[in-house]
Amino acid sequence: MNAIINDIEIIKTKTTKINDVDFDDLKFGHVFSDHMLECDFKDGKWHTPKVVPYAPISLDPSAKIFHYGQSVFEGMKAYKDNDENIWLFRPLDNFKRLNISSKRLAIPELPENYFMDGLKTLLKVDSEWIPKKDGSSLYIRPFVFASGNGFHASPADAYKFIICTAPSGAYFAGEVRVLIEETYSRSANGGVGFAKAGGNYAGQFYPTQLAIEKGYQQVIWTDDNTHEYIEEAGAMNIFVRINDTLITGPTSDRILDGITRKSIIELAKSENIPVEVRKISVAEVVEAARNGSLKEMFGAGTAAVISPIAGFGYKNEDFDLPELEDTYASYLKKRITDIQTNKTEDPFGWRYKVEK
């Protein structure tokens, strides 16, 4: 058990930006709160985190992040209930996954207390930035990157761990239609697909842009070898409902072990919704769409929680999903968000209170 850090330095901003923010009209990830957490790795160890005013970062042009891409991140949210209590959702899972990602990219792993105590200190300093409007939250972005200098192709000798926060509204708005990818791959066996590495997302942008030009909003990624199996939906895990069974692919070197994904599986099982974790072929999904047994498809991730898919394209053919009154997507999303925002009991122990 890591000891609590009692000496986190707090340097507060001289002028707040909060009065210039319209909390009734928040775009996702466009407005940033007053402070951020900063922590440096140098001389072979992580140094005590500190809370500082949100500001640009100065880096040498030879910093290895620019040349060799050592960068990992997480996505989290903080919520505030009607009694002004601050809540997180499974934060230790985010901490553990950040270190799993870091290890794969040869980045020094963070101590748990640096992550948790630093995060809680930051949230207390910027507690007024946590919106209470339904559908809104304080999005939290922890990330680590190589700040050490040099052109030699090797791991850096210095790193920065930063947590920034952004009061945000809904991630997706409107109907989402996706294109099943037949050419490009998100990741490969033995690669870094299971890590939240910045480069994974950079590689997604071009194929996604091609899909957007065809009239879709996102890409359904398929396996790198045969493109016969669906694996993820854009930057999210994917679920498919055939008849009454909810199906999602197993995690692997290529598929992120999503925290929302794990929560949906556990919650669905507790509600006696049939769940299968197995490979899902494109052919199976297309056939289910043709015979009417495909009821739902949705993406799952921190930012949107659950994002329903209205239809998909494959081999120049479009398929519409049925418009159901009662969907697994809407039911599971409400159950999860009610737990996150302290509106209902939490039988799973997922909710984490930030003590004042």
Side-chain angles (χ1 to χ4, degrees), residues 85-102:
N85 295 307
I86 299 171
W87 299 93
L88 295 167
F89 185 73
R90 306 186 71 165
L92 288 174
D93 285 356
N94 290 100
F95 160 72
K96 291 172 184 175
R97 191 172 62 184
L98 184 71
N99 273 346
I100 289 170
S101 300
S102 293

PDB file of all heavy atoms in Angstrom, residues 85-102:
ATOM      1  N   ASN A  85     -20.926  16.214  -3.595  1.00  0.00           N
ATOM      2  CA  ASN A  85     -19.907  15.168  -3.481  1.00  0.00           C
ATOM      3  C   ASN A  85     -19.308  14.886  -4.854  1.00  0.00           C
ATOM      4  O   ASN A  85     -20.008  14.904  -5.868  1.00  0.00           O
ATOM      5  CB  ASN A  85     -20.522  13.878  -2.923  1.00  0.00           C
ATOM      6  CG  ASN A  85     -21.003  14.047  -1.506  1.00  0.00           C
ATOM      7  OD1 ASN A  85     -20.251  14.483  -0.638  1.00  0.00           O
ATOM      8  ND2 ASN A  85     -22.259  13.702  -1.249  1.00  0.00           N
ATOM      9  N   ILE A  86     -17.999  14.600  -4.877  1.00  0.00           N
ATOM     10  CA  ILE A  86     -17.299  14.317  -6.119  1.00  0.00           C
ATOM     11  C   ILE A  86     -17.086  12.800  -6.237  1.00  0.00           C
ATOM     12  O   ILE A  86     -16.640  12.156  -5.286  1.00  0.00           O
ATOM     13  CB  ILE A  86     -15.934  15.039  -6.163  1.00  0.00           C
ATOM     14  CG1 ILE A  86     -16.132  16.551  -6.084  1.00  0.00           C
ATOM     15  CG2 ILE A  86     -15.170  14.671  -7.432  1.00  0.00           C
ATOM     16  CD1 ILE A  86     -14.825  17.323  -5.895  1.00  0.00           C
ATOM     17  N   TRP A  87     -17.402  12.272  -7.428  1.00  0.00           N
ATOM     18  CA  TRP A  87     -17.314  10.839  -7.642  1.00  0.00           C
ATOM     19  C   TRP A  87     -16.474  10.514  -8.875  1.00  0.00           C
ATOM     20  O   TRP A  87     -16.533  11.223  -9.885  1.00  0.00           O
ATOM     21  CB  TRP A  87     -18.710  10.231  -7.833  1.00  0.00           C
ATOM     22  CG  TRP A  87     -19.605  10.420  -6.656  1.00  0.00           C
ATOM     23  CD1 TRP A  87     -20.501  11.432  -6.453  1.00  0.00           C
ATOM     24  CD2 TRP A  87     -19.678   9.596  -5.495  1.00  0.00           C
ATOM     25  NE1 TRP A  87     -21.139  11.282  -5.247  1.00  0.00           N
ATOM     26  CE2 TRP A  87     -20.648  10.164  -4.632  1.00  0.00           C
ATOM     27  CE3 TRP A  87     -19.023   8.429  -5.103  1.00  0.00           C
ATOM     28  CZ2 TRP A  87     -20.977   9.595  -3.412  1.00  0.00           C
ATOM     29  CZ3 TRP A  87     -19.355   7.860  -3.872  1.00  0.00           C
ATOM     30  CH2 TRP A  87     -20.320   8.449  -3.039  1.00  0.00           C
ATOM     31  N   LEU A  88     -15.707   9.438  -8.782  1.00  0.00           N
ATOM     32  CA  LEU A  88     -14.984   8.871  -9.918  1.00  0.00           C
ATOM     33  C   LEU A  88     -15.546   7.479 -10.189  1.00  0.00           C
ATOM     34  O   LEU A  88     -16.247   6.909  -9.344  1.00  0.00           O
ATOM     35  CB  LEU A  88     -13.489   8.776  -9.613  1.00  0.00           C
ATOM     36  CG  LEU A  88     -12.747  10.099  -9.408  1.00  0.00           C
ATOM     37  CD1 LEU A  88     -11.369   9.843  -8.803  1.00  0.00           C
ATOM     38  CD2 LEU A  88     -12.615  10.854 -10.722  1.00  0.00           C
ATOM     39  N   PHE A  89     -15.223   6.927 -11.363  1.00  0.00           N
ATOM     40  CA  PHE A  89     -15.724   5.615 -11.753  1.00  0.00           C
ATOM     41  C   PHE A  89     -14.544   4.698 -12.063  1.00  0.00           C
ATOM     42  O   PHE A  89     -13.809   4.912 -13.017  1.00  0.00           O
ATOM     43  CB  PHE A  89     -16.632   5.747 -12.983  1.00  0.00           C
ATOM     44  CG  PHE A  89     -17.294   4.468 -13.408  1.00  0.00           C
ATOM     45  CD1 PHE A  89     -18.331   3.922 -12.663  1.00  0.00           C
ATOM     46  CD2 PHE A  89     -16.899   3.808 -14.563  1.00  0.00           C
ATOM     47  CE1 PHE A  89     -18.957   2.738 -13.056  1.00  0.00           C
ATOM     48  CE2 PHE A  89     -17.516   2.633 -14.968  1.00  0.00           C
ATOM     49  CZ  PHE A  89     -18.546   2.098 -14.208  1.00  0.00           C
ATOM     50  N   ARG A  90     -14.310   3.736 -11.196  1.00  0.00           N
ATOM     51  CA  ARG A  90     -13.265   2.722 -11.362  1.00  0.00           C
ATOM     52  C   ARG A  90     -11.891   3.340 -11.655  1.00  0.00           C
ATOM     53  O   ARG A  90     -11.192   2.918 -12.595  1.00  0.00           O
ATOM     54  CB  ARG A  90     -13.670   1.729 -12.464  1.00  0.00           C
ATOM     55  CG  ARG A  90     -15.030   1.096 -12.242  1.00  0.00           C
ATOM     56  CD  ARG A  90     -15.367   0.011 -13.256  1.00  0.00           C
ATOM     57  NE  ARG A  90     -14.555  -1.184 -13.052  1.00  0.00           N
ATOM     58  CZ  ARG A  90     -14.847  -2.372 -13.602  1.00  0.00           C
ATOM     59  NH1 ARG A  90     -15.920  -2.495 -14.376  1.00  0.00           N
ATOM     60  NH2 ARG A  90     -14.061  -3.412 -13.381  1.00  0.00           N
ATOM     61  N   PRO A  91     -11.458   4.338 -10.873  1.00  0.00           N
ATOM     62  CA  PRO A  91     -10.202   5.031 -11.200  1.00  0.00           C
ATOM     63  C   PRO A  91      -8.961   4.156 -11.104  1.00  0.00           C
ATOM     64  O   PRO A  91      -7.991   4.382 -11.835  1.00  0.00           O
ATOM     65  CB  PRO A  91     -10.155   6.168 -10.172  1.00  0.00           C
ATOM     66  CG  PRO A  91     -10.970   5.672  -9.015  1.00  0.00           C
ATOM     67  CD  PRO A  91     -12.085   4.889  -9.638  1.00  0.00           C
ATOM     68  N   LEU A  92      -8.981   3.165 -10.221  1.00  0.00           N
ATOM     69  CA  LEU A  92      -7.800   2.300 -10.110  1.00  0.00           C
ATOM     70  C   LEU A  92      -7.602   1.459 -11.367  1.00  0.00           C
ATOM     71  O   LEU A  92      -6.472   1.080 -11.702  1.00  0.00           O
ATOM     72  CB  LEU A  92      -7.912   1.402  -8.879  1.00  0.00           C
ATOM     73  CG  LEU A  92      -7.730   2.134  -7.538  1.00  0.00           C
ATOM     74  CD1 LEU A  92      -8.012   1.198  -6.378  1.00  0.00           C
ATOM     75  CD2 LEU A  92      -6.328   2.711  -7.423  1.00  0.00           C
ATOM     76  N   ASP A  93      -8.697   1.174 -12.082  1.00  0.00           N
ATOM     77  CA  ASP A  93      -8.560   0.473 -13.357  1.00  0.00           C
ATOM     78  C   ASP A  93      -7.833   1.348 -14.371  1.00  0.00           C
ATOM     79  O   ASP A  93      -7.024   0.854 -15.167  1.00  0.00           O
ATOM     80  CB  ASP A  93      -9.934   0.081 -13.900  1.00  0.00           C
ATOM     81  CG  ASP A  93     -10.548  -1.094 -13.159  1.00  0.00           C
ATOM     82  OD1 ASP A  93      -9.874  -1.645 -12.278  1.00  0.00           O
ATOM     83  OD2 ASP A  93     -11.692  -1.451 -13.448  1.00  0.00           O
ATOM     84  N   ASN A  94      -8.138   2.651 -14.361  1.00  0.00           N
ATOM     85  CA  ASN A  94      -7.420   3.570 -15.247  1.00  0.00           C
ATOM     86  C   ASN A  94      -5.943   3.640 -14.881  1.00  0.00           C
ATOM     87  O   ASN A  94      -5.072   3.644 -15.762  1.00  0.00           O
ATOM     88  CB  ASN A  94      -8.024   4.975 -15.181  1.00  0.00           C
ATOM     89  CG  ASN A  94      -9.393   5.057 -15.802  1.00  0.00           C
ATOM     90  OD1 ASN A  94     -10.402   5.045 -15.099  1.00  0.00           O
ATOM     91  ND2 ASN A  94      -9.449   5.129 -17.122  1.00  0.00           N
ATOM     92  N   PHE A  95      -5.658   3.703 -13.587  1.00  0.00           N
ATOM     93  CA  PHE A  95      -4.264   3.748 -13.138  1.00  0.00           C
ATOM     94  C   PHE A  95      -3.509   2.503 -13.594  1.00  0.00           C
ATOM     95  O   PHE A  95      -2.400   2.587 -14.150  1.00  0.00           O
ATOM     96  CB  PHE A  95      -4.199   3.884 -11.615  1.00  0.00           C
ATOM     97  CG  PHE A  95      -2.874   3.467 -11.045  1.00  0.00           C
ATOM     98  CD1 PHE A  95      -1.746   4.253 -11.238  1.00  0.00           C
ATOM     99  CD2 PHE A  95      -2.744   2.271 -10.353  1.00  0.00           C
ATOM    100  CE1 PHE A  95      -0.506   3.851 -10.741  1.00  0.00           C
ATOM    101  CE2 PHE A  95      -1.521   1.862  -9.859  1.00  0.00           C
ATOM    102  CZ  PHE A  95      -0.399   2.662 -10.050  1.00  0.00           C
ATOM    103  N   LYS A  96      -4.113   1.343 -13.383  1.00  0.00           N
ATOM    104  CA  LYS A  96      -3.444   0.090 -13.746  1.00  0.00           C
ATOM    105  C   LYS A  96      -3.209   0.017 -15.254  1.00  0.00           C
ATOM    106  O   LYS A  96      -2.154  -0.414 -15.719  1.00  0.00           O
ATOM    107  CB  LYS A  96      -4.273  -1.099 -13.271  1.00  0.00           C
ATOM    108  CG  LYS A  96      -4.309  -1.236 -11.752  1.00  0.00           C
ATOM    109  CD  LYS A  96      -5.297  -2.305 -11.313  1.00  0.00           C
ATOM    110  CE  LYS A  96      -5.397  -2.372  -9.793  1.00  0.00           C
ATOM    111  NZ  LYS A  96      -6.450  -3.331  -9.345  1.00  0.00           N
ATOM    112  N   ARG A  97      -4.210   0.450 -16.030  1.00  0.00           N
ATOM    113  CA  ARG A  97      -4.062   0.377 -17.482  1.00  0.00           C
ATOM    114  C   ARG A  97      -3.024   1.379 -17.989  1.00  0.00           C
ATOM    115  O   ARG A  97      -2.310   1.101 -18.958  1.00  0.00           O
ATOM    116  CB  ARG A  97      -5.408   0.613 -18.167  1.00  0.00           C
ATOM    117  CG  ARG A  97      -5.383   0.283 -19.659  1.00  0.00           C
ATOM    118  CD  ARG A  97      -6.767   0.328 -20.263  1.00  0.00           C
ATOM    119  NE  ARG A  97      -7.350   1.657 -20.164  1.00  0.00           N
ATOM    120  CZ  ARG A  97      -8.587   1.949 -20.549  1.00  0.00           C
ATOM    121  NH1 ARG A  97      -9.376   0.998 -21.043  1.00  0.00           N
ATOM    122  NH2 ARG A  97      -9.061   3.183 -20.450  1.00  0.00           N
ATOM    123  N   LEU A  98      -2.918   2.539 -17.329  1.00  0.00           N
ATOM    124  CA  LEU A  98      -1.882   3.500 -17.716  1.00  0.00           C
ATOM    125  C   LEU A  98      -0.501   2.880 -17.563  1.00  0.00           C
ATOM    126  O   LEU A  98       0.376   3.041 -18.422  1.00  0.00           O
ATOM    127  CB  LEU A  98      -1.982   4.772 -16.864  1.00  0.00           C
ATOM    128  CG  LEU A  98      -1.011   5.893 -17.244  1.00  0.00           C
ATOM    129  CD1 LEU A  98      -1.406   6.526 -18.569  1.00  0.00           C
ATOM    130  CD2 LEU A  98      -0.962   6.969 -16.153  1.00  0.00           C
ATOM    131  N   ASN A  99      -0.302   2.138 -16.494  1.00  0.00           N
ATOM    132  CA  ASN A  99       0.990   1.488 -16.281  1.00  0.00           C
ATOM    133  C   ASN A  99       1.214   0.314 -17.236  1.00  0.00           C
ATOM    134  O   ASN A  99       2.351   0.064 -17.659  1.00  0.00           O
ATOM    135  CB  ASN A  99       1.130   1.020 -14.827  1.00  0.00           C
ATOM    136  CG  ASN A  99       1.673   2.119 -13.928  1.00  0.00           C
ATOM    137  OD1 ASN A  99       2.177   3.133 -14.404  1.00  0.00           O
ATOM    138  ND2 ASN A  99       1.583   1.909 -12.630  1.00  0.00           N
ATOM    139  N   ILE A 100       0.157  -0.394 -17.588  1.00  0.00           N
ATOM    140  CA  ILE A 100       0.282  -1.454 -18.591  1.00  0.00           C
ATOM    141  C   ILE A 100       0.718  -0.858 -19.926  1.00  0.00           C
ATOM    142  O   ILE A 100       1.611  -1.381 -20.609  1.00  0.00           O
ATOM    143  CB  ILE A 100      -1.056  -2.213 -18.741  1.00  0.00           C
ATOM    144  CG1 ILE A 100      -1.328  -3.067 -17.494  1.00  0.00           C
ATOM    145  CG2 ILE A 100      -1.062  -3.086 -19.995  1.00  0.00           C
ATOM    146  CD1 ILE A 100      -2.721  -3.668 -17.449  1.00  0.00           C
ATOM    147  N   SER A 101       0.096   0.264 -20.292  1.00  0.00           N
ATOM    148  CA  SER A 101       0.465   0.949 -21.530  1.00  0.00           C
ATOM    149  C   SER A 101       1.893   1.471 -21.452  1.00  0.00           C
ATOM    150  O   SER A 101       2.673   1.335 -22.408  1.00  0.00           O
ATOM    151  CB  SER A 101      -0.495   2.115 -21.795  1.00  0.00           C
ATOM    152  OG  SER A 101      -1.829   1.677 -21.929  1.00  0.00           O
ATOM    153  N   SER A 102       2.251   2.069 -20.318  1.00  0.00           N
ATOM    154  CA  SER A 102       3.594   2.622 -20.143  1.00  0.00           C
ATOM    155  C   SER A 102       4.653   1.538 -20.288  1.00  0.00           C
ATOM    156  O   SER A 102       5.661   1.718 -20.976  1.00  0.00           O
ATOM    157  CB  SER A 102       3.718   3.292 -18.772  1.00  0.00           C
ATOM    158  OG  SER A 102       2.902   4.436 -18.688  1.00  0.00           O
TER     159      SER A 102
END
